[in-house]
Amino acid sequence: MELVSRMMDGSISYDPKNRLEPVLSGSVVQQGGQIELKEVPIFEGCSQRQLQRVARIARVLDAPAGSVLTRIGDPGDEFFVILDGTVSVDVAGGRPVPLRPGSFFGEMSLLDGGPRSATVVTDTPVRLLVVNRGDFSVLRREVPELTRVLLVTLSQRVRQAEARAAQ
Ligand code: CMP
């Protein structure tokens, strides 16, 4: 819970009533907000203006353990950033890959328009930022650094997959 507790005086609000429920909290607003986006690694280099734009675009989702967030082969329309909790990516022919707070997933279907490449399931209760397909393009335009981070992470994941395949 460390990341979230550090984010509680920031710029994203969510309804505590919905905490750890699989409920989308609606548009993120910056006024009276509580999640400090600049603490989220992929947004740490952003200006205040960029953070405000991210806050307008993203929503907060709380989901219980055991929730399927993407299913391999399904169409995909959302990009996720983990704020709290862990998920597992079920990759073909290998052990599940754990993703921790600060990691993201769901970018592949939004980038290439193809189906989900893997099933992603929550290991614990999680809190996520969620960005839909239309807003993902806006987000990349508003935060150009995000595209570099996406490319670096994709490259790392390809290398890791190749290393696993070679074992
Ligand atoms: P997408 O294909 O949209 O939906 C499933 C997501 O799982 C995928 O985007 C990536 O974000 C993530 N993913 C797929 N393969 C891996 C992997 N080998 N390591 C980490 N994450 C992965």
Side-chain angles (χ1 to χ4, degrees):
M1 305 294 273
E2 190 196 342
L3 184 60
V4 163
S5 63
R6 281 191 285 115
M7 291 193 290
M8 295 307 283
D9 57 357
S11 60
I12 290 189
S13 70
Y14 71 99
D15 184 350
K17 278 204 310 282
N18 292 334
R19 197 165 190 282
L20 303 183
E21 298 290 330
V23 174
L24 287 170
S25 65
S27 286
V28 169
V29 292
Q30 74 258 34
Q31 209 158 21
Q34 289 161 0
I35 293 179
E36 187 58 70
L37 281 173
K38 67 176 185 297
E39 299 289 337
V40 180
I42 61 170
F43 301 127
E44 66 192 2
C46 286
S47 65
Q48 195 58 32
R49 193 181 158 91
Q50 286 174 315
L51 292 176
Q52 285 168 357
R53 289 181 173 148
V54 174
R56 276 201 293 272
I57 286 170
R59 293 166 294 157
V60 179
L61 169 69
D62 284 349
S67 304
V68 176
L69 297 171
T70 72
R71 196 180 294 278
I72 189 168
D74 280 359
D77 286 314
E78 285 165 321
F79 170 69
F80 301 88
V81 182
I82 304 172
L83 299 178
D84 196 15
T86 61
V87 306
S88 280
V89 182
D90 285 330
V91 292
R95 261 182 289 162
V97 177
L99 297 181
R100 301 197 164 75
S103 303
F104 60 78
F105 59 94
E107 76 292 346
M108 291 173 64
S109 290
L110 299 197
L111 289 169
D112 70 5
R116 293 298 194 193
S117 61
T119 296
V120 178
V121 185
T122 60
D123 296 326
T124 66
V126 294
R127 177 163 301 143
L128 305 152
L129 281 185
V130 186
V131 177
N132 68 29
R133 177 180 291 280
D135 287 336
F136 186 63
S137 313
V138 177
L139 183 66
R140 285 194 295 125
R141 207 168 46 239
E142 299 286 357
V143 185
E145 168 67 7
L146 179 60
T147 297
R148 191 193 69 80
V149 175
L150 291 171
L151 286 171
V152 169
T153 303
L154 278 166
S155 303
Q156 290 169 341
R157 288 177 181 171
V158 170
R159 285 184 196 282
Q160 288 161 3
E162 285 174 348
R164 276 195 303 275
Q167 275 171 11

